[in-house]
Amino acid sequence: MKLRYISLFLVSALCAFQASADTLALKKDHPDKYIVKKGDTLWDISGRFLTKPWLWPRLWDMNKQIKNPHWIYPGDRLRLKWVNGQPKLVLDQSDAREGKHHIKLTPKVRIEENQSPVSTVELSEISQFLRADMVADMNTDLEHVPYVLGENNDTSIFMSKGQTIHVRGKADLNTHYGVYHVGNTYKDNQTGEALGRQLELVGVVQPKEVGDNNITTVEVVSSFSEIRRGDRLLPMLSESSIDAFFIPEPGNLTKPAHIIDIPMKSTYVGKYDTVIIDKGARENLKPGDVFGIVRPGAEVVDNGPDHVSYQQDSSIGQKLMNKQSTVLSADHIGEVMVIKVYQKTSLAIVMNSRDMVRAGYAVENP
């Protein structure tokens, strides 16, 4: 009987803890009403109300009877209310339907204004990464795709915007292609498993003519770095086929992931920069998943109050005399949201960071 009471107590405590954990935490200075402005993002709007913006789907009181119930538009009036002890954000006096707003001119005359819904992040920040690829899965055949031969000025080592160049392989004349340097193979730091090939987008080309000997003439319409002989061509998605609308929600990893690369080749990155993490579709990641960024604790050599130094700054003698090896506590410094998923890796955007982010940092459930 006593064991039964203990079990009931534990179950009750667990339920109470879960209820507390599930309660949305509002910011102290949150507004009660908000009018959506052009240039707003769902993350920004949610961040005005919530301490954890990725819980937007639980704050937003969707009308499931209309198409695309997550969509809101500039001019919409949002109002905060409470339902069963939980905060809910509702659309107040808006008649947005099917991606259009009605503007009332007179009691009898109405016109429709085409508008785009508010995106989760600014499309301009990530369109290049959505259209192109940053990783080639290990089963991607990079040996039989079109590749750069060069241009007729045979003294040129590199090629750039505005030039006409020639590639080996047939390309669709109605498709833009990304030009890529193929880099190193990403590997799991613990197991050594190959995760994918590094791709560096160096330019965009438009095929102009398919000639003899399996050679296609292309025009370089954009270049981000020097295009070299041997660079591969892969088709890009069209601008009209992409958007920046994701439904953010807490990710669910069984073990921490890690940032393994920064596509823009910077040492440190911050808000709205992209990173590559070592988990993907195999681990059930999907676009919209949000994770915390964890900076590992620094190693300190502690030989007493007058002889404390960081591990990397310590001399061999200081390390040999180290009385107690100390690792400082790790820091949660921001959040990333997955925007593109490969088989064993993912591309994510830094949504918030309280300090600079670099490769090697852990990515954990928020």
Side-chain angles (χ1 to χ4, degrees), residues 323-336:
K323 295 180 180 178
Q324 47 183 330
S325 181
T326 303
V327 178
L328 304 182
S329 299
D331 299 324
H332 181 285
I333 62 169
E335 292 80 37
V336 296

Side-chain angles (χ1 to χ4, degrees), residues 169-331:
K170 293 183 178 179
D172 183 356
L173 299 182
N174 297 313
T175 301
H176 281 84
Y177 285 77
V179 185
Y180 299 90
H181 296 330
V182 179
N184 299 324
T185 298
Y186 293 125
K187 293 186 177 182
D188 186 291
N189 286 336
Q190 294 183 339
T191 66
E193 178 190 12
L195 304 176
R197 295 289 299 277
Q198 179 189 55
L199 294 179
E200 180 187 354
L201 180 68
V202 295
V204 178
V205 297
Q206 172 68 59
K208 292 298 182 182
E209 182 181 2
V210 178
D212 299 330
N213 300 319
N214 198 30
I215 295 178
T216 300
T217 301
V218 303
E219 179 186 351
V220 181
V221 295
S222 299
S223 60
F224 314 111
S225 184
E226 298 90 352
I227 296 174
R228 306 169 188 170
R229 293 185 296 276
D231 285 345
R232 273 45 164 216
L233 272 65
L234 295 172
M236 298 182 72
L237 296 174
S238 65
E239 288 280 5
S240 60
S241 67
I242 63 172
D243 63 50
F245 187 85
F246 305 92
I247 301 174
E249 59 181 327
N252 184 22
L253 287 169
T254 56
K255 61 179 182 178
H258 291 85
I259 296 172
I260 57 174
D261 198 13
I262 296 171
M264 300 310 292
K265 306 306 171 192
S266 300
T267 303
Y268 293 94
V269 292
K271 186 175 181 179
Y272 294 150
D273 289 322
T274 53
V275 297
I276 294 172
I277 62 177
D278 59 357
K279 296 290 186 288
R282 182 177 62 174
E283 289 80 19
N284 298 315
L285 268 66
K286 60 186 183 303
D289 282 350
V290 176
F291 299 100
I293 305 169
V294 179
R295 177 174 53 193
E299 295 184 52
V300 176
V301 173
D302 183 4
N303 290 318
D306 296 325
H307 303 283
V308 179
S309 59
Y310 290 115
Q311 177 77 16
Q312 69 269 19
D313 300 328
S314 301
S315 66
I316 296 176
Q318 288 174 316
K319 294 175 183 177
L320 290 174
M321 296 180 61
N322 189 14
K323 295 180 180 178
Q324 47 183 330
S325 181
T326 303
V327 178
L328 304 182
S329 299
D331 299 324

